[in-house]
Amino acid sequence: MNIREEQPGDEAAIRAMVTASFDRPDEATLIDRLRAECPGFVSVVAEDGGEIVGHVGFSPVTIGGNADHPVMGIAPLAIAPDRQRQGVGTALVRQGLIRCRDRGVEGVIVLGSPDYWGRFGFSPAIELGLETDFDVPPDAFQALEIKNGALLCIEGVVHYQSAFYDT
C-alpha cells in the first residue's frame, strides 16, 4: 500500500470510494468543494494495486475568528468498505499528520470517537480552551498539538471552512 498526496486525475476514484464508504455522496461533495475552494487543503490517499482505498482531508480552520494560527481540521476520513479495519485509516492519519507538520501546521482538530482518535494523541479540545460550533458531545471534539504549546496560546470557537456548513 502506498500513502501519497492526491494527484490530478484521482478525483473520480476518490469520489467513488468516499461515496461507497459513507453510502451517500455528501462527504465526496465536501471533498470536491474543499479541493476547489480551500487554499491549503491537504488531500492524502491510500493506494493499493492502482486502486484508491482510502482518503483523508485536512483543511485550515480559524480559532476565535483569527486565521493567523496554522491549525487544520481533519475531515473526512474514508476507507473503502472492503478495506476497513485493516490499518488503512491509521496509515492515512499518521502520514497526513506528518505532511501537515512538514507544512508548518502546529495543531490539528477533529470531530470523532475519542477511542479512535486518542491513539494518535488527540485529547478533548475543551482542555485547551477550544470550542466547536457543531452540536457534538464535548469529548468528540478533540485537538492535537503538533508543535508543543502551540494551542495553549489561543482559545475560542473553532470554525471550519464554509464548505462544512453549506452541505
Side-chain angles (χ1 to χ4, degrees), residues 50-109:
E51 178 183 357
I52 297 208
V53 298
H55 174 273
V56 65
F58 295 80
S59 56
V61 298
T62 60
I63 301 174
N66 187 339
D68 294 337
H69 302 285
V71 179
M72 300 285 248
I74 298 177
L77 171 63
I79 311 303
D82 64 337
R83 296 300 301 266
Q84 293 176 4
R85 302 195 188 294
Q86 297 177 21
V88 176
T90 298
L92 276 169
V93 171
R94 290 192 193 288
Q95 278 301 310
L97 291 172
I98 290 168
R99 290 180 189 325
C100 285
R101 182 200 66 213
D102 291 348
R103 290 187 170 142
V105 172
E106 296 179 354
V108 178
I109 304 298

Side-chain angles (χ1 to χ4, degrees), residues 16-46:
M17 186 278 305
V18 171
T19 299
S21 175
F22 286 96
D23 199 28
R24 64 182 189 190
D26 300 11
E27 288 77 9
T29 300
L30 173 62
I31 293 168
D32 291 342
R33 289 196 58 202
L34 290 169
R35 184 186 298 119
E37 300 170 7
C38 177
F41 179 57
V42 176
S43 181
V44 181
V45 298

Side-chain angles (χ1 to χ4, degrees), residues 108-163:
V108 178
I109 304 298
V110 70
L111 298 171
S113 164
D115 292 336
Y116 183 82
W117 294 100
R119 63 184 158 158
F120 300 104
F122 284 85
S123 60
I126 194 75
E127 294 174 2
L128 296 169
L130 303 176
E131 301 175 40
T132 180
D133 53 4
F134 288 105
D135 185 21
V136 297
D139 64 341
F141 181 56
Q142 300 164 74
L144 172 70
E145 288 185 321
I146 294 177
K147 179 182 175 187
N148 286 338
L151 297 178
L152 293 175
C153 65
I154 52 177
E155 59 183 39
V157 176
V158 174
H159 194 76
Y160 286 76
Q161 296 291 314
S162 63

